[in-house]
Amino acid sequence: MDYFVPDWNDVVDPWFNFPLDKPSGEHLRDPAKTDVRAHELFPLGEIPYDGILVSRMTFAPGAGVLQKAREASLRLRFRLPDELLLMADCGAWGYVDRDEPPFDSEEILDFYADGGFDYGVSIDHMIVDSIIEDDITRPLTKEEKERRWDITVENGKEILNLSRKRHLNGKPRLVGAIQGWNEESYVRAAEQLLGEGYDFIGIGGLARAPTSGILRVAAAVSRSIQSYGRRSGRRIDLHIFGITRMKVVSELARLGVTSFDSASLLRKAWLSKDENYYLDDKTAYAAVRIPHSSRSTRIRARLASGEMKSERLHDLETDALAAARNYALGEVDLEMAVSAIAKYDFAALGLRGDIRRDLRRTLRAKPWEQCACPLCCKIGVEIILHRGNDRNRRRGFHNLWVFHKYLRKLVPRILVLTNCTQKKHGRRSDLPAYLRYSKSDTFQLWWKNLREVRGIDLGVLSAEHGVVPWWKPIPNYNKRIEELSQEEKLRLEKKVSMVLLRYDLVFFSGLGEYGRMMRKLALSANPRVELFPKKELSSRKLDLLELKRQIPDMRGAVLKAVSASGGRGLDLF
Ligand SMILES: [Zn+2]
């Protein structure tokens, strides 16, 4: 299951000077070039998400940002590794109160195609119970709800047809967004879009729904998708937009949901009252609040009112920071640290309940010492301080890392691969991989055996492109692994190993040089690679006939691995 993090320009200064509390010179000179997103702070196998979701609404018209997005693809601008996915949607919550979405399909398709996105979501319109009109909340009528449903479905059809007319060949792969007010209306929308030719459905409008409601809709749509997939022989993915309670995630995986997005664990790092830092799936801590006396608007207001002298406040702030740091070093005891921090808190923010209890709990546990993420290892106690973007966002990245680890434990990432074939579909323009290789009997057999299996990624190992996801459009080419030079082979091997890093279990079915390469990669400990055809399943030599004969065996092994995953939910997240 792929986890996408919605992007709200979540960047930090990679060289921020924590002891001096100062941004780096590079950041001051050119923040746009210097600042990094979370994926640049973690090694590839540890990046705490599988993709980034960008909303068109975050590109305010006239802000010039859109222009920049077109000049260079966002993938380049975000310096997003090839192994991660880039998805774009319209950000329908941003125009929920309007009569109609403020975009049209032409414009959105331009945005998606120019931005270099892997996935682009059709324009949807939220079906909510009430909207705000002229500052007054009023309910949506039944007719209005139906109209929004129509707008969403029609937009879905329109953008897919436009993309076909423009021969975009699945660049980006379009996600048909659906909205509804009950299971039946969601399913009806999904069926319309599937009938139009979509192989990816995205369920919107559930961000504020109760857990039971999310699960009911997801189950109904997933059932309909799977039955459609069986009838049509198509593999269909399912995304859920805006998950806020991570509890549902394992259940969603079980239902066959293939991806979801959520910003909540990132943003809780600074927005939650007392769950700012997750140590694991059971334990969360409040951050230690030592806000900047010179930057907080609340503090500035207190200073302006004359309640507190600026110099005095600054001294208390310095004491509080020193107390936290010295406590972490073991040079100050717990009560002294709590007292110094609470003193500044009271002076800066006034009386706001008993903060000492949370403070004591966090400091006593020293959770930053127990976390193995690269950020906690590098900046230590600074990560727990609620103070400025560079600490708060890093704490959010840490939360994502903890969550993603648990997610992978609960729903292991499984990749099922086969090698590319010499026989290919001859069309010159790009074709999704599963169609490109569809002329080969062996590939067809492999595809038919696996296309309906949920909970796995399917891909082709290509001498030209490395690991190609089944849906990814590729040009026609003629390159065989046997023809590669030693250097090219090593380069391919490196490329493939980078992809494998992001998985917990890999199945490969193939022969010859491809098999040899995968056998070599399987020797490294991470991840586990299971190779087919297997000697122990046969008394004859492992040739093409045997490979074909063992494809159902591989399917069996894959199904077993999928059903072994899962388990108890993520209670706390
Ligand atoms: Zn950490």
Side-chain angles (χ1 to χ4, degrees), residues 418-452:
T418 186
N419 54 241
C420 67
T421 56
Q422 206 177 359
K423 260 195 201 159
K424 294 182 191 69
H425 196 297
R427 194 201 284 177
R428 278 212 196 145
S429 54
D430 290 1
L431 267 185
Y434 78 102
L435 292 176
R436 178 63 73 199
Y437 301 109
S438 59
K439 296 287 171 195
S440 147
D441 298 344
T442 321
F443 179 83
Q444 274 299 344
L445 188 67
W446 178 85
W447 177 246
K448 276 187 187 146
N449 268 273
L450 291 153
R451 69 181 172 211
E452 279 171 31

Side-chain angles (χ1 to χ4, degrees), residues 277 371 373 376 383 398 401:
Y277 180 101
C371 178
C373 91
C376 292
I383 202 142
H398 148 94
W401 183 84

Side-chain angles (χ1 to χ4, degrees), residues 519-531:
R519 236 185 305 281
K520 190 173 160 198
L521 289 172
L523 290 177
S524 65
N526 203 14
R528 194 153 67 80
V529 182
E530 218 177 293
L531 300 157

Side-chain angles (χ1 to χ4, degrees), residues 267-339:
R267 311 190 81 73
K268 275 173 107 172
W270 58 93
L271 294 178
S272 168
K273 198 175 132 289
D274 52 9
E275 291 188 3
N276 306 118
Y277 180 101
Y278 286 87
L279 182 60
D280 51 42
D281 66 332
K282 286 182 221 62
T283 333
Y285 291 96
V288 173
R289 285 167 197 263
I290 309 182
H292 284 283
S293 59
S294 54
R295 284 191 227 153
S296 154
T297 42
R298 221 167 125 192
I299 299 176
R300 276 214 300 268
R302 274 174 72 81
L303 287 172
S305 73
E307 281 177 66
M308 171 64 58
K309 282 220 162 46
S310 156
E311 302 76 39
R312 167 89 181 120
L313 194 63
H314 187 257
D315 288 347
L316 289 174
E317 181 184 8
T318 309
D319 289 350
L321 268 179
R325 288 166 177 165
N326 290 333
Y327 170 75
L329 291 171
E331 289 169 3
V332 162
D333 73 22
L334 178 67
E335 284 313 313
M336 276 171 76
V338 168
S339 154

